[in-house]
Amino acid sequence: MKFTFYGHACFQIQTEENKLLFDPFLTGNENAAITPDKVECDHLLISHAHADHFGDAVPIAERTGAKVIAIPEIIRSLPNAITNVNPMNIGGTYEGPFGQVKMVQAVHSSGIAGGVPIGFIILFNEGKTLYFGGDTGLFGDMKLYGDLYNIDYAVLPIGGKYTLDPEQALIAAKFLRAKTIIPIHYNTWDVIQQDPEKLKKAGEKEGIEVRIIQPGESMML
Ligand code: NI
Ligand code: MN
């Protein structure tokens, strides 16, 4: 599987058959590595409705026809012409051709009336399991996810201020028993400036790999 980082909290996971795109904030992010008219996906997963996550979701869904996976409040906010949708809520599972998407808790605000922020745990048929925290602070049920799932990759925000900071992200990875942290959601703006190399060094001491990826770069999962 190939993981491509497009900047901030936007990334694509390419499996043999599918392309999953997460939190497509591209317009307005000067570090974005692709434009909304070029990015490819057949599944579009949205963690919450803040502009730095929901972003270009509507034009991308309209152009690609990708299946949109989000909470019902976000799905209802989409134009009626977008019909390839999978509204679900915390506890829900989407059975995709690439594997299972489980919608899980995040501790944050939703950005939409009546909504909640969420994270995703994705069990890929190709054998890997990935947790995407969305925007979240630390919470104890990350330990539950660590008990229930064999998490290979934890895609975690580390910017602080609105989300986990690097120290908290390392605690989160330990709760999740994740083998690898992929840090995102930092250095987009001055208020979330962080040094991921420090996290990498701290992770090494704990036996947790930290894979730092720049906007526009890809790596194999
Ligand atoms: Ni947010
Ligand atoms: Mn955010």
Side-chain angles (χ1 to χ4, degrees):
M1 299 194 301
K2 189 163 93 172
F3 180 104
T4 301
F5 184 46
Y6 290 130
H8 197 56
C10 182
F11 57 95
Q12 185 207 58
I13 296 175
Q14 189 172 351
T15 67
E16 262 174 43
E17 305 274 332
N18 296 102
K19 287 174 180 162
L20 286 64
L21 184 70
F22 297 76
D23 284 4
F25 165 57
L26 301 169
T27 302
N29 175 12
E30 61 187 42
N31 301 316
I34 199 163
T35 52
D37 58 317
K38 297 249 165 44
V39 71
E40 293 181 7
C41 61
D42 48 47
H43 289 75
L44 180 56
L45 297 89
I46 302 164
S47 67
H48 64 298
H50 286 151
D52 62 319
H53 298 261
F54 186 71
D56 300 295
V58 168
I60 292 169
E62 284 173 336
R63 178 178 59 79
T64 63
K67 184 172 289 289
V68 184
I69 301 175
I71 59 165
E73 288 79 5
I74 289 178
I75 298 293
R76 274 204 300 272
S77 79
L78 300 174
N80 290 337
I82 297 173
T83 54
N84 189 13
V85 293
N86 184 81
M88 62 180 183
N89 217 315
I90 294 166
T93 299
Y94 168 76
E95 303 277 350
F98 52 83
Q100 288 186 323
V101 177
K102 293 181 179 294
M103 190 171 271
V104 298
Q105 185 185 3
V107 175
H108 190 67
S109 55
S110 68
I112 190 164
V116 290
I118 55 91
F120 294 107
I121 294 174
I122 304 169
L123 289 78
F124 287 99
N125 293 339
E126 292 174 38
K128 299 291 185 187
T129 297
L130 179 139
Y131 168 78
F132 170 42
D135 274 0
T136 190
L138 200 58
F139 57 95
D141 278 1
M142 287 176 170
K143 286 184 185 170
L144 182 65
Y145 307 152
D147 287 346
L148 292 175
Y149 306 104
N150 182 15
I151 297 171
D152 297 288
Y153 301 97
V155 181
L156 297 175
I158 67 159
K161 189 162 173 88
Y162 304 105
T163 68
L164 298 168
D165 64 21
E167 290 76 23
Q168 292 163 352
L170 187 55
I171 297 166
K174 284 195 265 183
F175 283 0
L176 295 160
R177 296 194 229 157
K179 298 170 187 76
T180 300
I181 300 172
I182 302 172
I184 62 167
H185 205 280
Y186 67 99
N187 292 0
T188 316
W189 303 287
D190 288 348
V191 290
I192 54 170
Q193 213 62 254
Q194 299 289 349
D195 178 3
E197 294 293 340
K198 276 194 212 159
L199 173 62
K200 186 172 179 158
K201 285 203 186 80
E204 273 167 16
K205 286 186 194 146
E206 307 278 353
I208 297 171
E209 179 192 26
V210 177
R211 284 209 208 165
I212 298 167
I213 185 164
Q214 304 301 329
E217 287 181 354
S218 295
M219 61 186 186
M220 298 313 288
L221 300 182

